[in-house]
Amino acid sequence: MSRVKCRYCGAGLPVNVKAAAIDRLYSQTVGLSITDTVRQHAKRICDLQREEYVIEEELRELLDDPRFDNYRTVFKKFGFGDHLSSVIISQIYPIEGFLDASGKPEVKIRLGRNSKKPTKRHLSLRRFQKALGGALDGKSFFYPTWDDAIQGHLKICTQVFKLSNC
């Protein structure tokens, strides 16, 4: 949390000579200086940052659960942080929910629409991608508004899914 933000939201930082000098500096600047509205916004930001810190600590504790060890091992290979790992685990745990009754990825073979040749349909993989937001929309494989970073994460998660079934 920024000391300046905390200073102006009244977050309990001690008033000292330097803080008083900063107050004088801002009171003599051109513009609106530090108004009550600015102080309220700074307080709101400080409160949100404190709450975010508490939530991140709770997430770290939850991620240390032994049920997620295999997931975390694979995520670390790909360089995923705690935040991204927790979001993905919240969507895909347990991964067995994407598999068939025998614990294998569900793949159906059907005749292609045009070629009439046998075509594999990876149903488990599609369900997994849909859970992560990569659903097919009939015209394209991914929504065109997605940026490259999200598509990259989806491809990596697909690899995670494939690795977990080895």
Side-chain angles (χ1 to χ4, degrees):
M1 206 173 332
S2 165
R3 291 184 65 81
V4 173
K5 281 186 230 167
C6 291
R7 169 80 185 119
Y8 290 108
C9 74
L13 289 177
V15 177
N16 57 26
V17 176
K18 190 172 183 179
I22 292 173
D23 285 341
R24 273 194 310 279
L25 174 69
Y26 281 116
S27 68
Q28 297 169 0
T29 60
V30 176
L32 298 176
S33 71
I34 305 298
T35 64
D36 288 338
T37 305
V38 172
R39 282 187 171 82
Q40 288 173 348
H41 288 306
K43 183 177 183 330
R44 212 174 283 136
I45 289 170
C46 291
D47 291 342
L48 287 172
Q49 286 178 334
R50 280 191 206 101
E51 186 178 339
E52 182 182 20
Y53 179 78
V54 170
I55 291 170
E56 286 176 358
E57 287 299 313
E58 290 175 6
L59 270 178
R60 281 188 199 92
E61 290 175 17
L62 289 171
L63 286 174
D64 288 338
D65 190 305
R67 294 177 291 175
F68 306 130
D69 286 347
N70 292 338
Y71 297 88
R72 300 284 314 272
T73 302
V74 174
F75 291 156
K76 283 180 185 173
K77 286 181 183 177
F78 289 100
F80 287 11
D82 287 343
H83 186 261
L84 183 57
S85 296
S86 62
V87 170
I88 293 172
I89 288 173
S90 74
Q91 298 301 311
I92 66 170
Y93 181 81
I95 204 156
E96 292 79 19
F98 298 100
L99 306 175
D100 65 10
S102 65
K104 304 263 186 208
E106 189 174 353
V107 178
K108 294 206 176 189
I109 299 176
R110 300 235 169 107
L111 294 179
R113 290 183 196 157
N114 299 325
S115 68
K116 305 299 181 201
K117 294 179 183 176
T119 305
K120 286 185 179 181
R121 311 248 171 148
H122 299 273
L123 301 179
S124 293
L125 182 58
R126 284 187 184 176
R127 281 194 299 267
F128 182 80
Q129 288 176 333
K130 184 177 180 182
L132 293 172
L136 302 173
D137 74 351
K139 295 180 183 173
S140 66
F141 288 102
F142 298 104
Y143 292 106
T145 57
W146 276 27
D147 63 10
D148 292 337
I150 293 175
Q151 286 187 13
H153 284 298
L154 185 62
K155 289 177 185 175
I156 290 172
C157 289
T158 301
Q159 291 174 2
V160 169
F161 178 73
K162 290 177 180 177
L163 283 174
S164 68
N165 292 312
C166 294

